């Protein structure tokens, strides 16, 4: 009797285990990779009719390469749709494959749509649907996103991959912010800080770049400046200088190329920021609270322009001290232009409100309700310290003798 | 009756206490305590220590009995039976809801086209196998799976470090200590779920003097390990998403997994994490299945495979009744806050108090 019951139990457990094997394999609802249309980028512009969008997907179309392995081509087209899901349906019909969102790297928002506002409705799909990743980049386009995605690049790279590569190597020059979808959503959640996006621009020959041959219309894409948003509406664009100031103040500078051309000095320095750190503190000064930024940067001097004569050791050392001051002045100008812009716009894109809240929450509670007005004249000071690490492989510059110079 | 070792008690306890708490813990505690929510996690879980010690204290006086049997002895047959019925109803219902949550997690994240029934049935068969095989097999399964759950959880958090935003933890304690208390209270039901499990685990524990000390140490260790891990989960989510987003995200940890990128080449590892977390789900549902099974056996003397299969059908029925995520999450929170927390906290405390009083009166 006991043996019988034990056998029954074993049989039941065996059946259960076999059923587990069938049910827990995870193959339900699988899709073969050939049936998918991997989305690399998507552009959003204003549609023809009110409430519609012009959506431009850029889909990867892998092909077999010759010696260097597989290559990627793109398939780019535009459709009118009133929602992201409607667009998905149309993309499926056109490409005969189901769009796969997990490969999406860049979302481009066209200038007109950004100015009109309302693109958060489209981004809702990207932050909600499980296939998407919050690590995708969001950028604004100067002009339309459609034009950017249809641009033929001289390098032969797919536009969206070129944008992705530019952003991912952005730390090398630290002249524009990197904004991932997750970061944008976090900034929105602060309810104080105005979101900011980098701006991409298509550049063709004769318009910011020169090519010898003019016969084709191929161009390049670069990231230049940034756009500041009020809600999900583009309020204004920041210049290159203002964006660089933003990068300093937000402690986003990793490496930078910098020069002192704008300083109006006889000797001009060019260099590279090797290391940078920005801290801030809220302190009381003359009975008023103020925010003080402390920027410390280590720079290597890579070029010296306008040197009249070769300098002996002591004078060279003095000049390098001057270089530190000149670089500090250049950084100050960038920061001040950014602060000035913030005051003009009345938008806290530098997150100053959050900085005050972080450092002195009790004081923040007293001003947060009228922060927009406070922002106009809230005292902010800058302490900038530059350390000149070295001047490359030589000391003083090679200069022709005075007699030999052309006056 | 089979017994588990103090080490197995610790691992099994940690696994049941942990369950899938790492998925909702961040939004639950941040909603209550805001940016400082992470500070509430350890105290919230620490509630399990005094209650756990109260439950363990019955082990010496009633070595072969679970708390339902002890309740009958203490309060009389009818009150004991009523407590038993309440116990069965709560654990059975909540177990079914947890089964439903498994389907929800997987369908919402990585397997949107797989029918919910496949998740339910697959997990339920595994649960049936574990519970039917006895507590020792369950403990061994946990000894194998729990370290993996812990490793992958820590790995997920470490790989999320590059996604941290600047200064999201600041300011600290800007709203004082009151919100922390609220957060701790929101987590207390997690500790009480574990207490309900401990209530029927009692007869399976060793009763030697030395082992009793080890059981108490095991309890401390399990609670602190789980509390600490969950605190890290909350910390990381606040640092990556900010408090506002942390509250908004239903399963923030899954999104952290989705954001993992190693050297811009390795991505999409969230499926790996989810695979391991299935083990955590299975352990938690098994624990509730185990509780209900033993409740039925103790109160109504219903034992054997056919009753377990019937209970499985009930679990399935409950799971299929909550296929809508918004209702499911709301229902889980309601059961936690308004059934499990008051029932377990009052029942165990009263039982312990009466036991002490009777012991005093007897002496």
């Amino acid at each position: 009797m006991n043996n019988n019951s034990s056998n029954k139990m074993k049989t039941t457990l065996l059946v259960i285990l076999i059923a587990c094997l069938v049910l827990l394999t995870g193959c339900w609802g699988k899709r073969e990779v050939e049936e998918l249309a991997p989305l690399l980028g998507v552009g959003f512009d204003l549609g023809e009719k009110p409430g519609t969008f012009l959506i431009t997907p850029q889909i990867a179309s892998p092909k077999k390469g010759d010696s260097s392995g597989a290559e990627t081509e793109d398939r780019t087209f535009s459709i009118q749709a009133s929602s992201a899901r409607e667009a998905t349906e149309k993309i499926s019909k056109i490409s005969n494959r189901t769009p796969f969102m997990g490969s999406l790297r860049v979302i481009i928002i066209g200038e007109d749509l950004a100015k009109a506002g309302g693109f958060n409705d489209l981004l809702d799909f990207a932050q909600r649907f499980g296939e998407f990743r919050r690590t995708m980049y969001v950028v604004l386009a100067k002009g339309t996103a459609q034009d950017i995605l249809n641009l033929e690049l001289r390098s032969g790279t797919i536009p969206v991959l070129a944008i992705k590569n530019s952003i991912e190597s952005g730390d090398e020059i630290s002249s524009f912010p990197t904004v991932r979808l997750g970061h944008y959503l976090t900034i929105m959640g602060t309810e104080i800080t105005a979101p900011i996006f980098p701006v991409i621009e298509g550049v063709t020959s004769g318009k910011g770049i020169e090519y010898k041959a003019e016969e084709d219309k191929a161009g390049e894409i670069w990231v230049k400046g940034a756009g500041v948003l009020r809600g999900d509406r583009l309020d204004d664009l920041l210049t290159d200088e203002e964006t660089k100031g933003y990068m300093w103040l937000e402690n986003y500078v990793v490496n930078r190329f910098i020069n002192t051309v704008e300083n109006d000095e006889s000797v001009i320095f060019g260099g590279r920021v090797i290391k940078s750190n920005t801290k801030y503190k809220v302190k009381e000064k003359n009975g008023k609270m103020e925010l003080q930024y402390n920027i410390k940067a280590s720079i290597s001097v890579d070029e010296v322009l306008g040197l009249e004569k070769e300098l002996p050791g002591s004078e060279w050392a003095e000049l390098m001290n001057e270089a530190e001051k000149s670089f500090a002045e250049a950084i100050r100008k960038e920061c001040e232009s950014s602060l000035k812009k913030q005051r003009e716009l009345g938008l806290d894109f530098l997150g100053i409100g959050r900085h005050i809240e972080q450092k002195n929450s009790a004081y923040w509670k007293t001003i947060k309700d009228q922060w927009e007005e406070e922002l106009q004249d809230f005292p902010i000071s800058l302490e900038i310290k530059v350390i000149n690490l070295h001047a490359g492989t030589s000391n003083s510059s090679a200069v022709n003798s005075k007699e030999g110079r052309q006056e | 009756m089979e017994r588990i070792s103090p080490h197995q008690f610790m691992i099994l306890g940690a696994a049941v206490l942990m369950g899938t708490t790492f998925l909702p813990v961040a939004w639950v505690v941040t909603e209550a305590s805001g940016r400082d929510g992470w500070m509430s996690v350890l105290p919230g879980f620490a509630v399990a220590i005094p209650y756990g010690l109260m439950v363990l204290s019955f082990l010496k006086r009633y070595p072969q009995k679970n708390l339902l049997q002890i309740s009958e002895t203490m309060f009389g047959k009818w009150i004991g039976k009523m407590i038993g019925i309440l116990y069965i109803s709560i654990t059975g219902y909540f177990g079914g809801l947890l089964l439903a949550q498994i389907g929800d997690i997987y369908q919402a994240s990585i397997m949107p086209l797989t029918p919910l029934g496949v998740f339910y049935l697959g997990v339920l068969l595994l649960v049936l196998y574990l519970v039917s095989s006895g507590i020792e097999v369950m403990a061994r399964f946990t000894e194998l799976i729990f370290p993996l759950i812990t490793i992958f959880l820590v790995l997920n958090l470490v790989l999320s470090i590059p996604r941290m935003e600047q200064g999201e933890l600041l300011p600290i304690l800007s709203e004082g200590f009151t919100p922390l208390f609220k957060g701790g209270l929101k987590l207390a039901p997690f500790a009480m779920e574990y207490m309900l499990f401990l209530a029927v685990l009692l007869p399976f524990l060793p009763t030697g003097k030395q082992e009793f000390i080890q059981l108490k140490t095991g309890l401390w260790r399990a609670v602190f390990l789980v509390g600490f891990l969950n605190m890290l989960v909350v910390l990381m989510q606040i640092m990556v998403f900010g408090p506002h987003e942390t509250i908004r995200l239903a399963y923030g940890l899954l999104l952290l997994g989705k954001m993992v990128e190693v050297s811009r080449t390795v991505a999409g590892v969230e499926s790996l994490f989810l695979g391991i977390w299935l083990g955590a789900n299975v352990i938690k549902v098994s624990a509730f299945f185990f509780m209900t099974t033993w409740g039925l056996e103790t109160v109504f003397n219903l034992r054997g495979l056919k009753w377990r299969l019937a209970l499985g059908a009930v679990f399935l029925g409950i799971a299929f009744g909550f296929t809508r995520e918004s209702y499911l999450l709301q229902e889980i929170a309601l059961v936690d806050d308004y059934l499990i927390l008051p029932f377990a906290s009052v029942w165990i405390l009263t039982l312990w108090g009466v036991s002490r009083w009777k012991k005093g009166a007897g002496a």
Side-chain angles (χ1 to χ4, degrees):
Chain A
M1 186 71 185
N2 271 348
N3 270 348
N4 270 347
S5 131
S6 169
N7 283 340
K8 255 188 192 174
M9 186 73 174
K10 277 181 185 168
T11 314
T12 313
L13 291 179
L14 197 68
V15 170
I16 287 175
L17 281 177
I18 291 168
C20 282
L21 275 177
V22 176
L23 289 167
L24 295 177
T25 53
C27 291
W28 239 280
K30 71 181 165 62
R31 287 179 298 172
E32 296 298 338
V33 72
E34 295 83 6
E35 296 165 8
L36 298 175
L39 204 60
L40 291 177
V42 65
F44 297 136
D45 291 300
L46 273 182
E48 282 171 8
K49 292 179 196 163
T52 63
F53 303 95
L54 180 71
I55 297 177
T56 309
Q58 191 145 65
I59 297 165
S61 180
K63 67 167 188 176
K64 200 179 171 188
D66 33 6
S67 56
S68 58
E71 289 174 12
T72 310
E73 286 181 331
D74 68 296
R75 192 169 172 188
T76 308
F77 50 88
S78 298
I79 44 172
Q80 300 275 343
S82 52
S83 79
R85 264 308 185 206
E86 189 190 332
T88 315
E89 186 190 333
K90 288 184 177 172
I91 296 167
S92 300
K93 283 177 183 167
I94 293 166
S95 64
N96 305 317
R97 292 178 293 165
T98 315
F100 175 64
M101 318 295 182
S103 52
L104 185 66
R105 290 288 171 265
V106 183
I107 291 178
I108 306 169
I109 298 158
E111 196 173 350
D112 285 348
L113 175 61
K115 282 179 179 164
F119 60 82
N120 272 356
D121 287 342
L122 283 173
L123 292 184
D124 186 72
F125 178 56
Q127 62 90 27
R128 188 175 298 283
F129 183 49
E131 272 182 15
F132 287 103
R133 296 178 193 286
R134 289 177 161 230
T135 44
M136 69 181 85
Y137 304 109
V138 187
V139 297
L140 292 178
K142 198 89 180 278
T144 67
Q146 185 188 32
D147 286 346
I148 294 283
L149 287 170
N150 282 307
L151 195 67
E152 189 188 331
L153 299 184
R154 293 219 167 215
S155 60
T157 319
I158 299 170
V160 82
L161 292 183
I163 296 165
K164 174 185 158 286
N165 293 342
S166 294
I167 293 172
E168 287 182 348
S169 58
D171 281 353
E172 292 288 314
I173 51 173
S174 300
S175 61
F176 57 83
T178 298
V179 179
R180 294 175 188 266
L181 179 66
H183 174 75
Y184 171 61
L185 295 169
T186 302
I187 293 296
M188 278 211 303
T190 65
E191 293 170 3
I192 307 166
T193 310
I196 188 168
F197 286 132
V199 174
I200 52 161
E201 195 178 345
V203 192
T204 48
S205 188
K207 293 176 182 172
I209 194 166
E210 297 296 334
Y211 284 110
K212 195 175 175 186
E214 288 270 354
E215 61 270 15
D216 61 51
K217 288 182 178 176
E220 311 285 356
I221 290 175
W222 66 9
V223 190
K224 197 181 178 191
V228 182
L229 307 176
R230 189 183 291 273
D232 66 349
R233 181 171 299 160
L234 176 64
D235 199 80
D236 205 353
L237 295 175
L238 301 187
T239 62
D240 197 40
E241 187 185 38
E242 288 159 355
T243 311
K244 285 171 177 168
Y246 166 86
M247 297 297 286
W248 285 115
L249 295 170
E250 282 293 84
N251 194 26
Y252 288 148
V253 175
V254 180
N255 299 132
R256 258 287 304 273
F257 300 116
I258 186 166
N259 65 61
T260 63
V261 174
E262 301 294 324
N263 283 10
D264 267 350
E265 291 162 340
S266 57
V267 181
I268 296 165
F269 303 97
R272 185 178 193 194
V273 177
I274 306 291
K275 202 171 78 176
S276 160
N277 185 25
T278 302
K279 288 182 178 173
Y280 49 87
K281 56 184 172 188
V282 179
K283 60 175 192 176
E284 199 177 323
K285 194 178 176 185
N286 304 328
K288 264 199 105 175
M289 297 301 263
E290 75 159 28
L291 180 74
Q292 187 186 71
Y293 284 98
N294 287 297
I295 301 172
K296 278 186 186 169
S298 302
I299 295 179
S300 68
V301 175
D302 297 329
E303 62 177 345
V304 180
L305 310 176
L307 204 60
E308 295 284 328
K309 58 175 185 178
E310 277 192 34
L311 299 176
S314 61
E315 284 183 41
W316 176 253
E318 204 175 301
L319 185 75
M320 287 300 102
N321 279 341
E322 286 302 313
E324 289 182 354
K325 288 177 192 160
S326 290
F327 281 127
E329 187 53 31
I331 293 170
R332 179 180 298 280
K333 278 187 177 168
E334 290 178 351
C335 294
E336 280 175 350
S337 70
S338 194
L339 289 165
K340 187 171 168 243
K341 186 73 170 192
Q342 164 151 301
R343 289 200 165 109
E344 280 170 17
L345 296 177
L347 277 173
D348 187 6
F349 63 86
L350 290 167
I352 289 174
R354 263 296 287 152
H355 293 334
I356 297 169
E357 186 189 19
Q358 285 164 351
K359 296 289 180 185
N360 191 337
S361 61
Y363 173 63
W364 170 247
K365 282 175 191 166
T366 65
I367 58 166
K368 71 173 180 183
D369 291 335
Q370 59 276 357
W371 177 235
E372 235 179 273
E373 297 91 75
E374 288 277 341
L375 183 64
Q376 300 296 331
D377 53 0
F378 190 82
I380 294 165
S381 63
L382 298 167
E383 287 284 321
I384 300 164
K385 190 178 180 191
V386 171
I387 298 166
N388 173 18
L389 290 176
H390 59 79
T393 52
S394 65
N395 289 322
S396 187
S397 305
V399 175
N400 286 340
S401 63
K402 205 168 182 179
E403 292 76 33
R405 277 174 163 255
Q406 286 185 332
E407 292 300 325
Chain B
M1 191 172 274
E2 57 180 340
R3 290 187 193 277
I4 56 173
S5 69
H7 180 262
Q8 286 176 324
F9 165 75
M10 186 189 81
I11 299 284
L12 185 61
V16 172
L17 181 60
M18 170 84 93
T20 47
T21 53
F22 48 78
L23 290 174
V25 68
W27 70 258
V28 167
V29 85
T30 313
E31 193 171 43
S33 310
R35 206 179 290 278
D36 298 323
W38 61 276
M39 292 187 217
S40 311
V41 181
L42 258 178
F45 276 92
V47 175
I49 294 173
Y51 271 91
L53 291 175
M54 282 184 221
V55 176
L56 286 180
S57 71
F58 291 105
L59 193 59
K60 278 184 177 172
R61 287 185 69 189
Y62 308 95
Q64 299 289 332
K65 289 186 175 178
N66 61 40
L67 280 202
L68 296 174
Q69 292 162 321
I70 298 169
S71 296
E72 281 193 31
T73 313
M74 292 274 182
F75 304 129
K77 191 180 172 187
W78 290 109
I79 296 179
K81 291 273 183 223
M82 276 166 65
I83 291 172
I85 290 167
L86 207 55
Y87 179 88
I88 294 164
S89 310
I90 292 173
T91 54
Y93 187 54
F94 196 69
L97 293 178
L98 290 179
L99 186 66
Q101 198 184 18
I102 294 174
D104 175 53
I105 291 169
Y106 282 85
Q107 210 177 48
S109 55
I110 56 166
M111 295 161 86
L113 299 177
T114 308
L116 283 171
V118 176
F119 299 112
Y120 297 162
L121 210 59
V123 168
L124 196 63
L125 287 173
L126 213 54
V127 168
L128 267 170
Y129 175 74
L130 283 174
V131 176
S132 301
S133 305
I135 191 72
E136 212 198 329
V137 173
M138 244 177 94
R140 282 188 197 166
F141 176 79
T142 314
E143 278 181 305
L144 187 77
I145 297 293
F146 187 69
L148 287 176
I149 296 167
T150 309
I151 290 167
F152 274 79
L153 195 60
V154 172
L155 199 66
N156 192 353
L157 298 178
V158 169
L159 292 174
S160 301
I161 289 173
R163 301 277 162 260
M164 278 164 36
E165 298 278 344
Q166 294 183 29
E168 283 301 333
L169 282 185
L170 298 173
I172 289 172
L173 289 175
S174 62
E175 302 300 321
F177 287 93
T178 319
L180 299 189
F181 177 74
K182 286 182 192 164
L185 201 65
K186 283 300 243 180
L187 293 189
F190 294 155
M192 290 305 141
E193 290 169 16
Y194 174 46
M195 287 308 113
L196 293 181
F197 178 63
L198 217 53
V200 288
L201 188 68
L202 222 47
F204 301 97
L205 299 179
T207 50
K209 199 176 172 186
Q210 186 62 32
E211 286 155 326
F212 186 70
I213 295 167
Q214 288 173 338
L215 288 178
K216 287 206 276 190
T217 316
L219 176 75
W220 277 86
R221 284 183 181 164
V223 172
F224 274 105
L225 175 67
V226 173
F228 184 69
L229 282 172
N230 273 317
M231 186 188 76
L232 291 183
V233 169
V234 179
L235 253 177
M236 188 53 76
Q237 286 195 46
I238 293 176
M239 285 196 281
V240 171
F241 301 124
H244 187 270
E245 276 290 282
T246 302
I247 297 166
R248 208 176 58 78
L249 299 172
Y251 299 116
L253 192 65
L254 297 183
L255 291 181
L256 279 189
K258 273 182 173 291
M259 290 167 85
V260 167
E261 264 179 24
V262 182
S263 301
R264 288 176 193 152
T265 40
V266 180
V269 289
E270 72 274 9
S271 312
L272 216 76
F273 296 140
L274 271 164
I276 297 298
W277 294 338
L278 181 67
N281 283 306
V282 169
I283 292 168
K284 190 85 177 192
V285 178
S286 298
F288 274 86
F289 199 92
F290 180 83
M291 291 180 225
T292 320
T293 308
W294 276 96
L296 288 170
E297 191 165 332
T298 307
V299 180
F300 301 113
N301 205 23
L302 302 175
R303 64 182 77 191
L305 189 63
K306 66 176 178 184
W307 290 108
R308 281 198 286 272
L309 290 173
L311 182 60
V314 171
F315 267 51
L316 267 182
I318 295 166
F320 276 114
F322 284 92
T323 50
R324 293 188 185 95
E325 184 188 68
S326 49
Y327 289 123
L328 173 66
L329 296 180
Q330 198 181 16
E331 191 69 7
I332 288 175
L334 284 175
V335 175
D336 255 338
D337 292 348
Y338 298 107
L339 286 177
I340 291 179
L341 178 64
F343 171 70
S345 56
V346 172
W347 174 40
I348 292 168
L349 195 63
T350 313
L351 198 62
W352 180 78
V354 171
S355 154
R356 297 284 294 178
W357 175 68
K358 281 193 172 173
K359 196 179 168 188

